[in-house]
Amino acid sequence: MKRQTILMGVAFVLIIGSGLYYFLKEESMASHPQPAQDAAKQQQAALSFEGNKITEEENGRLIWELTAETIEVDSVTQNVTLHKLNGTFYSAAGTTMTITSETGNLDSKTKDVVLTGSVHGTASDGGDFTAAQATWQDETKLFHGTGGVRAVKGGTILTGDVLDGDMMLNKMKVSGHAHIVNKGGQIE
């Protein structure tokens, strides 16, 4: 009889132990978010719009306006991604620079705009530039282009790896394999 009581006690402990293991295992699995839930949260964090415009003003004057086929806003950081971007940047003198690119990223804090993919800009007073990537630095109101840059202004053609310049391409600095061809066709 003593042996039967011991066996019944061991069986009872095993059943209770198995039950506790089952319930604790299920609870711990439920406490970890599932990958599908993570994806849903990420989708909620990004808002998407089609065909909208974003503008920046300073002291009542329009600085730039950006339009795109699709605009995505990260609801946490408020950073903006623009696809098939068209932008117009306005100078204080009234001239403009119109830019197109495959994508653009607007930093909500600095208001810097990073343009990537077939960047092309045309100034209203005749300047023109292309680059693989360009950045509009809002604080300095300057462009910085990289990746096979080319700028044309008043019969002068500048090419190189990096371009730094003002909005109207009046003041430019090209570096890295830089070449200048002026009106006379001379390479410098």
Side-chain angles (χ1 to χ4, degrees):
M1 174 114 179
K2 189 174 182 181
R3 186 175 169 172
Q4 194 175 21
T5 306
I6 292 173
L7 286 174
M8 296 248 319
V10 169
F12 179 74
V13 169
L14 285 174
I15 291 172
I16 296 296
S18 297
L20 287 173
Y21 174 75
Y22 175 78
F23 285 113
L24 292 176
K25 179 182 174 191
E26 286 297 314
E27 188 170 297
S28 68
M29 288 176 61
S31 66
H32 296 294
Q34 301 297 322
Q37 292 171 340
D38 289 342
K41 286 181 183 178
Q42 287 177 349
Q43 287 177 347
Q44 290 174 351
L47 305 172
S48 182
F49 305 95
E50 291 186 16
N52 284 315
K53 179 174 21 177
I54 300 172
T55 61
E56 173 71 10
E57 290 186 11
E58 189 174 276
N59 299 324
R61 185 178 69 82
L62 189 60
I63 303 297
W64 50 255
E65 58 186 354
L66 306 173
T67 60
E69 284 183 13
T70 306
I71 298 174
E72 297 171 0
V73 180
D74 184 313
S75 62
V76 175
T77 64
Q78 296 299 306
N79 290 337
V80 179
T81 302
L82 303 106
H83 300 279
K84 302 288 185 194
L85 175 134
N86 286 302
T88 304
F89 294 79
Y90 299 89
S91 74
T95 54
T96 61
M97 171 67 76
T98 304
I99 294 184
T100 59
S101 71
E102 293 297 316
T103 59
N105 292 298
L106 169 63
D107 185 304
S108 65
K109 292 178 183 157
T110 64
K111 304 296 184 205
D112 290 350
V113 181
V114 178
L115 310 158
T116 54
S118 303
V119 179
H120 179 245
T122 305
S124 61
D125 65 355
D128 186 82
F129 85 93
T130 57
Q133 179 174 321
T135 302
W136 163 257
Q137 297 167 335
D138 192 62
E139 184 178 339
T140 62
K141 308 292 189 256
L142 297 174
F143 281 105
H144 174 79
T146 58
V149 297
R150 182 176 192 271
V152 179
K153 178 78 176 203
T156 301
I157 302 169
L158 298 123
T159 60
D161 296 332
V162 178
L163 167 78
D164 290 296
D166 65 353
M167 183 186 310
M168 294 297 108
L169 304 174
N170 292 324
K171 295 179 183 177
M172 293 178 282
K173 175 185 172 187
V174 177
S175 57
H177 301 98
H179 288 78
I180 300 172
V181 178
N182 63 24
K183 289 182 184 181
Q186 299 173 341
I187 298 176
E188 300 178 18

